[in-house]
Amino acid sequence: MNDEKVKEFNNIPLSVLDLSPINEGSDATQSFKNSVELARLTERWGFHRYWLAEHHNMPGIGSSATSVLIGHIAGATQKIRVGAGGIMLPNHAPLVIAEQFGTLESIYPGRIDLGLGRAPGSDQATAYALRRTLHSSGEDFPEQLDELRAYFEPDNTARVRAFPGEGLEIPIWLLGSSGFSAQLAAQEGLPFSFASHFAPAYTLQALQLYHQHFKPSQALQQPYAMLGINVIAAETDEEANFLATSQQQQFLSLTRGMPTQLKPPINNINEVWSPYERASVERTLDSRSTMVGSPETVKRKLESFIQETKANELIINSQIYDQQARLRSYEIVAEMME
């Protein structure tokens, strides 16, 4: 396709969610090179934003130091919005996040998003390792959110202030995979991003809660919901289904409690999982929000998903082992955008 800037599919923006996957037999250095290449190309193809997700103790995910990687991607691109999808706030002191994102916004003004979640982004043992000096369980997430937002407000009387950070207008999003963050985002008048790509069963319920309880705020006058989806697009349905076995193996390893690096695709996934494991993975990677197939198949599924959910924006995760196939998957989606 040519370099003409394209922006929307069916009148909604499309964005990129990157976990900077570490492939089997590779390392984080190569993963970060792959992420830079993907960010530069998706910027050129007209994707709206490029988000990185905080996960820990996952050998196949390289985006654990999320703020650092956001700076790396923002420095390698020119215009695309770059942000966190998200920062797991209970893992951090709010002041530190205010300073980190104040720094990012000061270096790359008008381009930084701060998406926040309340999950640990890992297992409980890792959560303890991260939070042992924070005394946080995630239950005080609303109070942490208030504290973080206060650091961005100018206040000469505050005993603790964030520099850089204070006075900067950094868009704050709430992320969720259940109804809790949907209701909190609505009450606070903030944009909301739901993890449909791994919690598809709760998508419509969370959206309903968000829209029903939304209160306009200085930050946002109307509700704005972005949904995460998985897209694995290739020239044919058969090739896409083959590529998708890498992501299926990734979730299978999580089901078994033994996370691994991203594995290469295999010819017959049924040889490696039991019927119970297959059902568990398929519940997570529901075909409505995990779109695998040829350009025609993916386009049809995208249109159906948008019609069902009335999403304002979609953010796309593509866990594909081969970098060129991964780039091609995003390019196929870009070719559908107006």
Side-chain angles (χ1 to χ4, degrees):
M1 60 183 296
N2 60 35
D3 291 347
E4 181 180 345
K5 189 171 180 63
V6 289
K7 294 184 177 180
E8 296 180 337
F9 176 83
N10 280 21
N11 299 315
I12 72 166
L14 300 183
S15 295
V16 179
L17 177 63
D18 182 13
L19 278 62
S20 201
I22 302 175
N23 289 343
E24 186 173 86
S26 186
D27 56 26
T29 298
Q30 185 60 50
S31 296
F32 299 149
K33 291 178 181 178
N34 291 346
S35 289
V36 166
E37 183 179 28
L38 177 62
R40 286 173 171 166
L41 285 173
T42 51
E43 175 180 63
R44 194 178 81 187
W45 294 335
F47 285 81
H48 184 48
R49 65 183 93 239
Y50 194 103
W51 279 10
L52 296 134
E54 178 185 347
H55 291 275
H56 301 279
N57 200 25
M58 301 281 189
I61 296 176
S63 53
S64 55
T66 315
S67 300
V68 177
L69 195 52
I70 287 170
H72 183 57
I73 296 298
T77 52
Q78 296 179 338
K79 296 179 180 179
I80 195 169
R81 298 195 65 86
V82 186
I87 292 290
M88 301 298 106
L89 189 56
N91 294 342
H92 310 276
L95 175 61
V96 172
I97 298 303
E99 291 171 339
Q100 288 178 358
F101 278 79
T103 300
L104 289 166
E105 175 66 18
S106 298
I107 300 172
Y108 308 105
R111 294 182 57 203
I112 301 299
D113 295 328
L114 176 50
L116 301 169
R118 68 185 185 105
S122 66
D123 57 87
Q124 289 303 311
T126 308
Y128 174 75
L130 288 162
R131 302 177 183 181
R132 65 176 62 191
T133 59
L134 295 177
H135 308 292
S136 176
S137 66
E139 296 302 316
D140 56 351
F141 180 69
E143 290 77 17
Q144 286 190 303
L145 174 63
D146 288 343
E147 181 184 347
L148 174 61
R149 296 179 74 186
Y151 288 128
F152 293 121
E153 296 295 330
D155 185 357
N156 294 332
T157 66
R159 293 183 61 189
V160 180
R161 298 162 68 183
F163 302 112
E166 186 174 294
L168 297 179
E169 295 184 2
I170 302 170
I172 292 178
W173 293 66
L174 293 194
L175 280 59
S177 57
S178 65
F180 181 91
S181 291
Q183 289 187 287
L184 183 59
Q187 292 167 6
E188 297 293 331
L190 294 173
F192 176 57
S193 181
F194 187 79
S196 305
H197 58 300
F198 66 79
Y202 301 102
T203 301
L204 296 180
Q205 179 185 5
L207 287 176
Q208 185 178 26
L209 285 170
Y210 177 61
H211 283 92
Q212 281 183 347
H213 297 281
F214 183 83
K215 297 178 181 178
S217 69
Q218 186 176 353
L220 191 66
Q221 291 298 304
Q222 300 290 334
Y224 192 95
M226 176 168 66
L227 302 181
I229 58 173
N230 301 300
V231 174
I232 297 176
E235 305 308 323
T236 65
D237 288 344
E238 291 75 17
E239 181 185 358
N241 285 318
F242 172 69
L243 296 174
T245 59
S246 293
Q247 185 178 47
Q248 290 170 328
Q249 291 177 86
Q250 182 183 50
F251 276 88
L252 175 61
S253 72
L254 292 174
T255 299
R256 292 173 173 175
M258 298 181 294
T260 63
Q261 293 182 325
L262 188 65
K263 293 180 175 293
I266 55 178
N267 288 318
N268 187 359
I269 187 71
N270 290 322
E271 292 179 350
V272 300
W273 60 16
S274 69
Y276 170 81
E277 290 171 332
R278 174 179 179 173
S280 177
V281 172
E282 289 182 347
R283 278 195 302 270
T284 302
L285 301 177
D286 184 278
S287 61
R288 290 173 296 177
S289 56
T290 296
M291 303 166 193
V292 179
S294 67
E296 296 78 14
T297 299
V298 169
K299 183 177 182 180
R300 183 177 68 253
K301 291 184 176 182
L302 279 171
E303 290 171 339
S304 176
F305 187 78
I306 292 168
Q307 183 177 8
E308 180 183 19
T309 62
K310 306 296 189 294
N312 298 103
E313 186 172 342
L314 299 180
I315 188 162
I316 297 170
N317 176 46
S318 297
Q319 291 292 85
I320 298 174
Y321 179 85
D322 179 78
Q323 173 71 353
Q324 293 308 308
R326 185 182 180 211
L327 298 175
R328 178 57 184 150
S329 181
Y330 279 102
E331 185 179 31
I332 287 171
V333 174
E335 288 169 347
M336 302 175 192
M337 300 198 302
E338 299 169 355

mmCIF file of all heavy atoms in Angstrom, residues 18-23 26-40 50 52-53 60-66 68-70 72-73 76 323 326:
data_model
loop_
_atom_site.group_PDB
_atom_site.id
_atom_site.type_symbol
_atom_site.label_atom_id
_atom_site.label_comp_id
_atom_site.label_asym_id
_atom_site.label_seq_id
_atom_site.Cartn_x
_atom_site.Cartn_y
_atom_site.Cartn_z
ATOM 1 N N ASP A 18 0.690 -3.293 22.097
ATOM 2 C CA ASP A 18 1.909 -4.081 21.931
ATOM 3 C C ASP A 18 2.388 -4.563 23.297
ATOM 4 O O ASP A 18 2.560 -3.763 24.220
ATOM 5 C CB ASP A 18 2.981 -3.213 21.263
ATOM 6 C CG ASP A 18 4.272 -3.966 20.998
ATOM 7 O OD1 ASP A 18 4.273 -5.210 21.091
ATOM 8 O OD2 ASP A 18 5.284 -3.296 20.686
ATOM 9 N N LEU A 19 2.587 -5.874 23.415
ATOM 10 C CA LEU A 19 3.192 -6.449 24.616
ATOM 11 C C LEU A 19 4.677 -6.721 24.410
ATOM 12 O O LEU A 19 5.324 -7.341 25.243
ATOM 13 C CB LEU A 19 2.477 -7.748 25.004
ATOM 14 C CG LEU A 19 1.178 -7.617 25.811
ATOM 15 C CD1 LEU A 19 0.108 -6.853 25.033
ATOM 16 C CD2 LEU A 19 0.655 -8.988 26.212
ATOM 17 N N SER A 20 5.204 -6.229 23.275
ATOM 18 C CA SER A 20 6.601 -6.465 22.907
ATOM 19 C C SER A 20 6.978 -7.929 23.132
ATOM 20 O O SER A 20 7.845 -8.259 23.939
ATOM 21 C CB SER A 20 7.530 -5.541 23.709
ATOM 22 O OG SER A 20 8.773 -5.405 23.070
ATOM 23 N N PRO A 21 6.316 -8.835 22.407
ATOM 24 C CA PRO A 21 6.516 -10.271 22.648
ATOM 25 C C PRO A 21 7.963 -10.700 22.435
ATOM 26 O O PRO A 21 8.631 -10.267 21.491
ATOM 27 C CB PRO A 21 5.578 -10.934 21.636
ATOM 28 C CG PRO A 21 5.308 -9.886 20.600
ATOM 29 C CD PRO A 21 5.377 -8.582 21.304
ATOM 30 N N ILE A 22 8.429 -11.546 23.353
ATOM 31 C CA ILE A 22 9.765 -12.133 23.240
ATOM 32 C C ILE A 22 9.601 -13.534 22.666
ATOM 33 O O ILE A 22 8.995 -14.412 23.288
ATOM 34 C CB ILE A 22 10.462 -12.192 24.604
ATOM 35 C CG1 ILE A 22 10.568 -10.791 25.208
ATOM 36 C CG2 ILE A 22 11.851 -12.824 24.458
ATOM 37 C CD1 ILE A 22 11.148 -10.769 26.611
ATOM 38 N N ASN A 23 10.112 -13.731 21.478
ATOM 39 C CA ASN A 23 9.930 -14.997 20.786
ATOM 40 C C ASN A 23 10.860 -16.079 21.330
ATOM 41 O O ASN A 23 11.969 -15.791 21.797
ATOM 42 C CB ASN A 23 10.203 -14.828 19.286
ATOM 43 C CG ASN A 23 9.113 -14.032 18.598
ATOM 44 O OD1 ASN A 23 8.022 -13.869 19.115
ATOM 45 N ND2 ASN A 23 9.424 -13.522 17.411
ATOM 46 N N SER A 26 14.709 -16.048 20.919
ATOM 47 C CA SER A 26 15.146 -14.668 20.732
ATOM 48 C C SER A 26 15.327 -14.009 22.096
ATOM 49 O O SER A 26 15.440 -14.681 23.117
ATOM 50 C CB SER A 26 14.121 -13.915 19.874
ATOM 51 O OG SER A 26 14.585 -12.612 19.558
ATOM 52 N N ASP A 27 15.368 -12.672 22.121
ATOM 53 C CA ASP A 27 15.563 -11.961 23.383
ATOM 54 C C ASP A 27 14.872 -10.611 23.331
ATOM 55 O O ASP A 27 14.325 -10.211 22.304
ATOM 56 C CB ASP A 27 17.050 -11.805 23.704
ATOM 57 C CG ASP A 27 17.838 -11.103 22.594
ATOM 58 O OD1 ASP A 27 17.235 -10.313 21.818
ATOM 59 O OD2 ASP A 27 19.058 -11.324 22.504
ATOM 60 N N ALA A 28 14.911 -9.895 24.463
ATOM 61 C CA ALA A 28 14.223 -8.609 24.560
ATOM 62 C C ALA A 28 14.822 -7.570 23.620
ATOM 63 O O ALA A 28 14.101 -6.698 23.112
ATOM 64 C CB ALA A 28 14.258 -8.106 26.003
ATOM 65 N N THR A 29 16.119 -7.626 23.392
ATOM 66 C CA THR A 29 16.747 -6.661 22.468
ATOM 67 C C THR A 29 16.071 -6.712 21.105
ATOM 68 O O THR A 29 15.719 -5.670 20.524
ATOM 69 C CB THR A 29 18.254 -6.955 22.329
ATOM 70 O OG1 THR A 29 18.889 -6.794 23.600
ATOM 71 C CG2 THR A 29 18.899 -6.006 21.326
ATOM 72 N N GLN A 30 15.869 -7.911 20.580
ATOM 73 C CA GLN A 30 15.209 -8.051 19.287
ATOM 74 C C GLN A 30 13.742 -7.651 19.374
ATOM 75 O O GLN A 30 13.192 -7.046 18.441
ATOM 76 C CB GLN A 30 15.333 -9.494 18.780
ATOM 77 C CG GLN A 30 14.777 -9.698 17.370
ATOM 78 C CD GLN A 30 15.485 -8.824 16.341
ATOM 79 O OE1 GLN A 30 16.719 -8.806 16.278
ATOM 80 N NE2 GLN A 30 14.715 -8.077 15.547
ATOM 81 N N SER A 31 13.087 -7.963 20.498
ATOM 82 C CA SER A 31 11.681 -7.581 20.661
ATOM 83 C C SER A 31 11.504 -6.076 20.569
ATOM 84 O O SER A 31 10.552 -5.590 19.946
ATOM 85 C CB SER A 31 11.154 -8.082 22.006
ATOM 86 O OG SER A 31 11.166 -9.479 22.060
ATOM 87 N N PHE A 32 12.411 -5.320 21.196
ATOM 88 C CA PHE A 32 12.288 -3.866 21.169
ATOM 89 C C PHE A 32 12.567 -3.317 19.767
ATOM 90 O O PHE A 32 11.938 -2.345 19.344
ATOM 91 C CB PHE A 32 13.237 -3.243 22.194
ATOM 92 C CG PHE A 32 12.945 -3.678 23.617
ATOM 93 C CD1 PHE A 32 13.964 -3.783 24.548
ATOM 94 C CD2 PHE A 32 11.653 -4.012 24.007
ATOM 95 C CE1 PHE A 32 13.704 -4.195 25.846
ATOM 96 C CE2 PHE A 32 11.379 -4.426 25.309
ATOM 97 C CZ PHE A 32 12.408 -4.524 26.225
ATOM 98 N N LYS A 33 13.475 -3.939 19.038
ATOM 99 C CA LYS A 33 13.686 -3.554 17.638
ATOM 100 C C LYS A 33 12.423 -3.816 16.823
ATOM 101 O O LYS A 33 12.027 -2.999 15.975
ATOM 102 C CB LYS A 33 14.874 -4.323 17.053
ATOM 103 C CG LYS A 33 16.219 -3.924 17.628
ATOM 104 C CD LYS A 33 17.348 -4.770 17.036
ATOM 105 C CE LYS A 33 18.687 -4.377 17.634
ATOM 106 N NZ LYS A 33 19.808 -5.226 17.104
ATOM 107 N N ASN A 34 11.784 -4.962 17.077
ATOM 108 C CA ASN A 34 10.535 -5.285 16.376
ATOM 109 C C ASN A 34 9.446 -4.274 16.698
ATOM 110 O O ASN A 34 8.672 -3.867 15.824
ATOM 111 C CB ASN A 34 10.068 -6.687 16.764
ATOM 112 C CG ASN A 34 10.965 -7.785 16.223
ATOM 113 O OD1 ASN A 34 11.794 -7.553 15.340
ATOM 114 N ND2 ASN A 34 10.828 -8.983 16.760
ATOM 115 N N SER A 35 9.360 -3.854 17.980
ATOM 116 C CA SER A 35 8.340 -2.889 18.372
ATOM 117 C C SER A 35 8.567 -1.543 17.704
ATOM 118 O O SER A 35 7.609 -0.877 17.281
ATOM 119 C CB SER A 35 8.334 -2.726 19.897
ATOM 120 O OG SER A 35 7.815 -3.880 20.524
ATOM 121 N N VAL A 36 9.797 -1.112 17.616
ATOM 122 C CA VAL A 36 10.100 0.151 16.928
ATOM 123 C C VAL A 36 9.680 0.075 15.466
ATOM 124 O O VAL A 36 9.060 1.007 14.925
ATOM 125 C CB VAL A 36 11.602 0.491 17.061
ATOM 126 C CG1 VAL A 36 11.988 1.589 16.080
ATOM 127 C CG2 VAL A 36 11.923 0.936 18.484
ATOM 128 N N GLU A 37 10.008 -1.037 14.818
ATOM 129 C CA GLU A 37 9.629 -1.202 13.411
ATOM 130 C C GLU A 37 8.109 -1.173 13.257
ATOM 131 O O GLU A 37 7.571 -0.499 12.367
ATOM 132 C CB GLU A 37 10.193 -2.513 12.864
ATOM 133 C CG GLU A 37 9.907 -2.725 11.382
ATOM 134 C CD GLU A 37 10.489 -4.026 10.852
ATOM 135 O OE1 GLU A 37 10.647 -4.990 11.642
ATOM 136 O OE2 GLU A 37 10.772 -4.086 9.638
ATOM 137 N N LEU A 38 7.403 -1.867 14.142
ATOM 138 C CA LEU A 38 5.943 -1.886 14.078
ATOM 139 C C LEU A 38 5.375 -0.497 14.342
ATOM 140 O O LEU A 38 4.444 -0.057 13.645
ATOM 141 C CB LEU A 38 5.393 -2.884 15.098
ATOM 142 C CG LEU A 38 3.872 -2.969 15.205
ATOM 143 C CD1 LEU A 38 3.254 -3.418 13.882
ATOM 144 C CD2 LEU A 38 3.465 -3.914 16.336
ATOM 145 N N ALA A 39 5.906 0.210 15.316
ATOM 146 C CA ALA A 39 5.397 1.548 15.645
ATOM 147 C C ALA A 39 5.587 2.511 14.477
ATOM 148 O O ALA A 39 4.683 3.295 14.144
ATOM 149 C CB ALA A 39 6.095 2.075 16.892
ATOM 150 N N ARG A 40 6.746 2.473 13.857
ATOM 151 C CA ARG A 40 7.001 3.381 12.737
ATOM 152 C C ARG A 40 6.069 3.097 11.565
ATOM 153 O O ARG A 40 5.554 4.026 10.925
ATOM 154 C CB ARG A 40 8.464 3.258 12.298
ATOM 155 C CG ARG A 40 9.437 3.922 13.255
ATOM 156 C CD ARG A 40 10.879 3.632 12.877
ATOM 157 N NE ARG A 40 11.815 4.450 13.660
ATOM 158 C CZ ARG A 40 13.126 4.223 13.726
ATOM 159 N NH1 ARG A 40 13.659 3.201 13.051
ATOM 160 N NH2 ARG A 40 13.898 5.003 14.452
ATOM 161 N N TYR A 50 -0.428 4.087 19.995
ATOM 162 C CA TYR A 50 0.394 2.895 20.180
ATOM 163 C C TYR A 50 0.626 2.729 21.675
ATOM 164 O O TYR A 50 1.316 3.522 22.306
ATOM 165 C CB TYR A 50 1.737 3.070 19.458
ATOM 166 C CG TYR A 50 2.544 1.802 19.284
ATOM 167 C CD1 TYR A 50 2.574 1.166 18.043
ATOM 168 C CD2 TYR A 50 3.294 1.261 20.317
ATOM 169 C CE1 TYR A 50 3.326 0.016 17.861
ATOM 170 C CE2 TYR A 50 4.040 0.113 20.145
ATOM 171 C CZ TYR A 50 4.055 -0.506 18.908
ATOM 172 O OH TYR A 50 4.803 -1.649 18.720
ATOM 173 N N LEU A 52 1.508 0.312 25.175
ATOM 174 C CA LEU A 52 2.284 -0.808 25.700
ATOM 175 C C LEU A 52 1.728 -1.199 27.057
ATOM 176 O O LEU A 52 1.273 -0.351 27.824
ATOM 177 C CB LEU A 52 3.759 -0.413 25.818
ATOM 178 C CG LEU A 52 4.363 -0.105 24.437
ATOM 179 C CD1 LEU A 52 5.161 1.176 24.466
ATOM 180 C CD2 LEU A 52 5.192 -1.262 23.929
ATOM 181 N N ALA A 53 1.768 -2.503 27.358
ATOM 182 C CA ALA A 53 1.097 -3.017 28.546
ATOM 183 C C ALA A 53 2.093 -3.505 29.584
ATOM 184 O O ALA A 53 3.109 -4.122 29.252
ATOM 185 C CB ALA A 53 0.160 -4.163 28.156
ATOM 186 N N GLY A 60 7.556 -14.276 28.014
ATOM 187 C CA GLY A 60 7.225 -13.938 26.635
ATOM 188 C C GLY A 60 6.776 -12.503 26.422
ATOM 189 O O GLY A 60 6.375 -12.141 25.322
ATOM 190 N N ILE A 61 6.853 -11.657 27.470
ATOM 191 C CA ILE A 61 6.401 -10.270 27.360
ATOM 192 C C ILE A 61 7.525 -9.351 27.800
ATOM 193 O O ILE A 61 8.029 -9.460 28.926
ATOM 194 C CB ILE A 61 5.134 -10.033 28.217
ATOM 195 C CG1 ILE A 61 3.979 -10.875 27.672
ATOM 196 C CG2 ILE A 61 4.755 -8.560 28.236
ATOM 197 C CD1 ILE A 61 2.705 -10.789 28.488
ATOM 198 N N GLY A 62 7.903 -8.415 26.929
ATOM 199 C CA GLY A 62 9.046 -7.556 27.195
ATOM 200 C C GLY A 62 8.713 -6.177 27.723
ATOM 201 O O GLY A 62 9.630 -5.378 27.960
ATOM 202 N N SER A 63 7.431 -5.871 27.914
ATOM 203 C CA SER A 63 7.033 -4.495 28.232
ATOM 204 C C SER A 63 6.849 -4.250 29.721
ATOM 205 O O SER A 63 6.035 -3.427 30.127
ATOM 206 C CB SER A 63 5.740 -4.149 27.484
ATOM 207 O OG SER A 63 4.720 -5.103 27.720
ATOM 208 N N SER A 64 7.618 -4.935 30.570
ATOM 209 C CA SER A 64 7.449 -4.793 32.020
ATOM 210 C C SER A 64 7.830 -3.399 32.507
ATOM 211 O O SER A 64 7.139 -2.822 33.351
ATOM 212 C CB SER A 64 8.281 -5.854 32.751
ATOM 213 O OG SER A 64 9.641 -5.794 32.347
ATOM 214 N N ALA A 65 8.911 -2.824 31.994
ATOM 215 C CA ALA A 65 9.304 -1.454 32.345
ATOM 216 C C ALA A 65 8.594 -0.501 31.385
ATOM 217 O O ALA A 65 9.201 0.130 30.517
ATOM 218 C CB ALA A 65 10.814 -1.292 32.282
ATOM 219 N N THR A 66 7.291 -0.396 31.559
ATOM 220 C CA THR A 66 6.414 0.209 30.554
ATOM 221 C C THR A 66 6.778 1.660 30.252
ATOM 222 O O THR A 66 6.832 2.069 29.084
ATOM 223 C CB THR A 66 4.954 0.106 31.024
ATOM 224 O OG1 THR A 66 4.718 -1.213 31.518
ATOM 225 C CG2 THR A 66 3.994 0.377 29.886
ATOM 226 N N VAL A 68 9.609 3.194 30.498
ATOM 227 C CA VAL A 68 10.861 3.271 29.755
ATOM 228 C C VAL A 68 10.621 2.952 28.284
ATOM 229 O O VAL A 68 11.116 3.652 27.378
ATOM 230 C CB VAL A 68 11.898 2.294 30.348
ATOM 231 C CG1 VAL A 68 13.194 2.315 29.531
ATOM 232 C CG2 VAL A 68 12.181 2.648 31.802
ATOM 233 N N LEU A 69 9.836 1.909 28.022
ATOM 234 C CA LEU A 69 9.585 1.503 26.645
ATOM 235 C C LEU A 69 8.718 2.522 25.910
ATOM 236 O O LEU A 69 8.893 2.739 24.700
ATOM 237 C CB LEU A 69 8.931 0.117 26.624
ATOM 238 C CG LEU A 69 8.919 -0.616 25.284
ATOM 239 C CD1 LEU A 69 10.307 -0.675 24.657
ATOM 240 C CD2 LEU A 69 8.354 -2.014 25.448
ATOM 241 N N ILE A 70 7.794 3.171 26.617
ATOM 242 C CA ILE A 70 6.999 4.240 26.000
ATOM 243 C C ILE A 70 7.923 5.343 25.485
ATOM 244 O O ILE A 70 7.770 5.845 24.362
ATOM 245 C CB ILE A 70 5.981 4.797 26.998
ATOM 246 C CG1 ILE A 70 4.855 3.790 27.222
ATOM 247 C CG2 ILE A 70 5.390 6.132 26.512
ATOM 248 C CD1 ILE A 70 3.932 4.151 28.368
ATOM 249 N N HIS A 72 11.014 5.032 24.612
ATOM 250 C CA HIS A 72 11.776 4.501 23.477
ATOM 251 C C HIS A 72 10.945 4.563 22.197
ATOM 252 O O HIS A 72 11.445 4.996 21.144
ATOM 253 C CB HIS A 72 12.173 3.060 23.790
ATOM 254 C CG HIS A 72 13.012 2.403 22.744
ATOM 255 N ND1 HIS A 72 14.223 2.911 22.309
ATOM 256 C CD2 HIS A 72 12.817 1.250 22.032
ATOM 257 C CE1 HIS A 72 14.735 2.118 21.385
ATOM 258 N NE2 HIS A 72 13.903 1.104 21.203
ATOM 259 N N ILE A 73 9.679 4.161 22.286
ATOM 260 C CA ILE A 73 8.813 4.167 21.103
ATOM 261 C C ILE A 73 8.487 5.593 20.677
ATOM 262 O O ILE A 73 8.497 5.921 19.479
ATOM 263 C CB ILE A 73 7.521 3.368 21.378
ATOM 264 C CG1 ILE A 73 7.847 1.889 21.625
ATOM 265 C CG2 ILE A 73 6.531 3.519 20.226
ATOM 266 C CD1 ILE A 73 8.487 1.170 20.459
ATOM 267 N N ALA A 76 11.221 7.089 18.739
ATOM 268 C CA ALA A 76 11.445 6.492 17.415
ATOM 269 C C ALA A 76 10.362 6.860 16.413
ATOM 270 O O ALA A 76 10.442 6.476 15.240
ATOM 271 C CB ALA A 76 11.540 4.974 17.547
ATOM 272 N N GLN A 323 7.950 -11.777 12.623
ATOM 273 C CA GLN A 323 7.806 -10.319 12.568
ATOM 274 C C GLN A 323 7.212 -9.840 11.245
ATOM 275 O O GLN A 323 6.368 -8.933 11.229
ATOM 276 C CB GLN A 323 9.167 -9.654 12.804
ATOM 277 C CG GLN A 323 9.197 -8.140 12.612
ATOM 278 C CD GLN A 323 8.464 -7.347 13.683
ATOM 279 O OE1 GLN A 323 7.789 -7.915 14.542
ATOM 280 N NE2 GLN A 323 8.587 -6.039 13.633
ATOM 281 N N ARG A 326 3.594 -10.471 11.282
ATOM 282 C CA ARG A 326 2.958 -9.530 12.204
ATOM 283 C C ARG A 326 2.760 -8.169 11.538
ATOM 284 O O ARG A 326 1.677 -7.570 11.620
ATOM 285 C CB ARG A 326 3.832 -9.400 13.448
ATOM 286 C CG ARG A 326 3.270 -8.558 14.586
ATOM 287 C CD ARG A 326 4.299 -8.507 15.700
ATOM 288 N NE ARG A 326 3.857 -7.732 16.848
ATOM 289 C CZ ARG A 326 4.680 -7.048 17.637
ATOM 290 N NH1 ARG A 326 5.982 -7.028 17.378
ATOM 291 N NH2 ARG A 326 4.218 -6.376 18.672
#
